[in-house]
């Protein structure tokens, strides 16, 4: 794997459960959070799925013409490939959501991972916590997870996405 590829488990088109509207959801391989009750333990392996070049992923997204969500696994383990793809998606005007098991603060305080925050419209952050599972929540599984407007937030001043 290098800066021009991502390890992709699967791509789902036209989904309405990973953010507003119909979206292309890209599930990236690998996760070390090991949340009890995880929806997809098969995604924990960094060898799951297949390598895909950024060009092929971009072409696919353009063909479908939906906004984009990254999930997994945890996309934050593939920063080197994710960052150039995010930049290109924002250049092309796509709205981008990203799910992660890290908190916003953990990402913000990590110089490597922090670079992606400028190119993600909404970060759904934090691990899945079984005791806080709540089926009534939109776009997230447990109440500790937050829908954060990552491009305009700082740890001391978090702005939340709301469907309004
Ligand atoms: S962060 Fe997500 S993919 Fe990773 S273990 Fe937790 S629920 Fe599963």
């Amino acid at each position: 794997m290098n800066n021009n590829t991502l390890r992709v488990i699967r791509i789902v088109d036209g989904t309405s459960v990973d953010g507003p509207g119909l979206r292309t959801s890209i599930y990236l391989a690998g996760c070390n959070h090991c949340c009890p009750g995880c929806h997809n333990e098969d995604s924990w392996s960094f060898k799951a799925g297949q390598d895909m070049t950024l060009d092929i992923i971009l072409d696919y997204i353009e063909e479908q013409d939906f906004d984009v969500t990254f999930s997994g696994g945890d996309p934050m383990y593939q920063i080197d490939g994710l960052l150039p793809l995010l930049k290109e998606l924002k250049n092309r005007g796509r709205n981008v959501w990203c799910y992660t098991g890290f908190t916003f603060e953990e990402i913000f305080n990590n110089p490597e991972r922090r670079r992606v925050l400028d190119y993600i419209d909404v970060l759904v952050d934090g691990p899945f916590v079984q005791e806080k599972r709540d089926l009534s929540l939109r776009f997230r599984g447990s109440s500790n997870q937050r829908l954060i407007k990552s491009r305009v937030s700082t740890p001391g001043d978090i702005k939340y996405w709301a469907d309004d």
Side-chain angles (χ1 to χ4, degrees), residues 31-35 38-40 43-44 72-74 100-101 126-128 145:
C31 186
N32 284 335
H33 297 291
C34 303
C35 307
C38 170
H39 60 290
N40 186 11
S43 70
W44 294 3
D74 189 335
T100 176
F128 172 70
Q145 295 170 317

Side-chain angles (χ1 to χ4, degrees), residues 134-153:
D134 184 346
L135 291 175
S136 71
L137 296 170
R138 201 165 175 217
F139 304 137
R140 55 205 169 114
S142 57
S143 59
N144 60 297
Q145 295 170 317
R146 303 169 292 180
L147 310 180
I148 294 174
K149 292 180 174 177
S150 69
R151 299 164 73 189
V152 294
S153 292

Side-chain angles (χ1 to χ4, degrees), residues 37-137:
C38 170
H39 60 290
N40 186 11
E41 290 190 19
D42 291 342
S43 70
W44 294 3
S45 169
F46 291 88
K47 293 178 179 168
Q50 59 182 326
D51 287 340
M52 292 180 71
T53 67
L54 302 190
D55 286 342
I56 285 177
I57 297 171
L58 275 167
D59 286 349
Y60 191 82
I61 290 168
E62 287 299 307
E63 254 173 51
Q64 304 304 318
D65 202 20
F66 297 126
D67 286 324
V68 180
T69 297
F70 291 92
S71 186
D74 189 335
M76 294 299 153
Y77 291 105
Q78 297 196 51
I79 291 290
D80 287 346
L82 185 63
L83 183 61
L85 181 56
L86 288 172
K87 285 181 177 175
E88 189 55 34
L89 288 172
K90 292 314 297 176
N91 278 343
R92 298 181 186 199
R94 298 283 169 196
N95 175 272
V96 177
W97 281 43
C98 183
Y99 285 76
T100 176
F102 294 99
T103 63
F104 174 76
E105 290 81 356
E106 287 171 332
I107 295 170
F108 193 93
N109 291 322
N110 179 302
E112 281 298 302
R113 295 197 169 111
R114 179 181 181 164
R115 296 177 296 158
V116 300
L117 293 177
D118 284 340
Y119 306 99
I120 294 170
D121 293 283
V122 173
L123 185 80
V124 186
D125 85 327
F128 172 70
V129 177
Q130 212 160 15
E131 297 73 27
K132 296 184 176 177
R133 180 171 180 255
D134 184 346
L135 291 175
S136 71
L137 296 170

